[in-house]
Amino acid sequence: MANVYYEKDADRSLIASRKVAVIGYGSQGHAHALNLRDSGVDVRVGLRGGSSSAAKAEAAGLPVRSIADAAAEADLIMLLGPDTEHKAIFTESIAPNLSSGDALFVAHGFSVRFGQVVAPQGVDVALVAPKGPGHLVRRTYAEGGGVPCLIAVAKDSSGKAKDLALAYADAIGGARAGVLETTFEEETETD
């Protein structure tokens, strides 16, 4: 039987003490960034130069940075670009800015599961995957509800990666509906 967690199980202070970079502002990116911000999290959006999403994020009141600058400012990076671009984004803009104690999160496990993204020692790697499209994640959060999420840990350098993933899921509304623990393998291969 799967472990299911709710708001009472999450320690929101773990995410409240972080500087979060949401990389990408598409379907999931906008929902994560706005929900995190509305939960009181220090969030910035990382985008490629010339991205058409920059104006949307700025209009929503979110700070926009280059991917590298957002990664450098943050100690938790949520990589929400297309799976096919994870390796390049990670190699060029995120990896050079990771330090021991940082966390790297994804919302789909493919790039981590198949070794395209490999974080250095000392960096937590986890998955927080809402089980719905971004507009639903945002709308249900704004209405006081949430979309169920999956969490998984690929690398627990801090000993707190699962707790941090649960706190992140809570901050985007997932713990209102329920957060299920899984593995990167299961999430990737059943998605």
Side-chain angles (χ1 to χ4, degrees):
M1 176 165 241
N3 291 327
V4 182
Y5 303 98
Y6 296 95
E7 288 176 286
K8 65 179 177 49
D9 303 308
D11 180 356
R12 186 73 73 88
S13 71
L14 295 174
I15 191 72
S17 65
R18 294 287 186 141
K19 292 179 181 152
V20 178
V22 173
I23 308 303
Y25 199 72
S27 175
Q28 288 292 325
H30 90 280
H32 285 240
L34 293 170
N35 292 4
L36 288 165
R37 180 203 59 200
D38 291 352
S39 290
V41 176
D42 180 2
V43 64
R44 73 263 309 121
V45 175
L47 297 170
R48 289 194 171 128
S51 171
S52 61
S53 296
K56 293 176 197 168
E58 288 170 346
L62 293 163
V64 176
R65 311 276 189 267
S66 70
I67 295 171
D69 287 348
E73 286 180 14
D75 54 19
L76 190 160
I77 299 156
M78 172 54 95
L79 178 52
L80 293 173
D83 288 335
T84 55
E85 298 178 25
H86 277 202
K87 183 176 182 177
I89 292 169
F90 177 78
T91 302
E92 295 166 16
S93 301
I94 296 174
N97 293 297
L98 286 173
S99 301
S100 185
D102 287 352
L104 176 67
F105 284 12
V106 293
H108 179 46
F110 185 88
S111 60
V112 173
R113 167 76 174 99
F114 292 105
Q116 296 177 350
V117 169
V118 180
Q121 290 300 318
V123 174
D124 287 339
V125 179
L127 168 110
V128 179
K131 297 315 297 173
H135 69 274
L136 184 65
V137 173
R138 179 60 182 156
R139 187 181 82 232
T140 57
Y141 176 94
E143 293 170 349
V147 170
C149 289
L150 300 176
I151 60 169
V153 174
K155 191 160 134 187
D156 188 8
S157 296
S158 68
K160 292 269 190 191
K162 176 181 158 186
D163 294 334
L164 183 57
L166 181 56
Y168 185 105
D170 183 40
I172 63 171
R176 296 172 179 174
V179 178
L180 285 84
E181 189 174 3
T182 188
T183 65
F184 269 74
E185 294 77 15
E186 287 176 353
E187 189 279 335
T188 301
E189 292 159 20
T190 60
D191 188 54

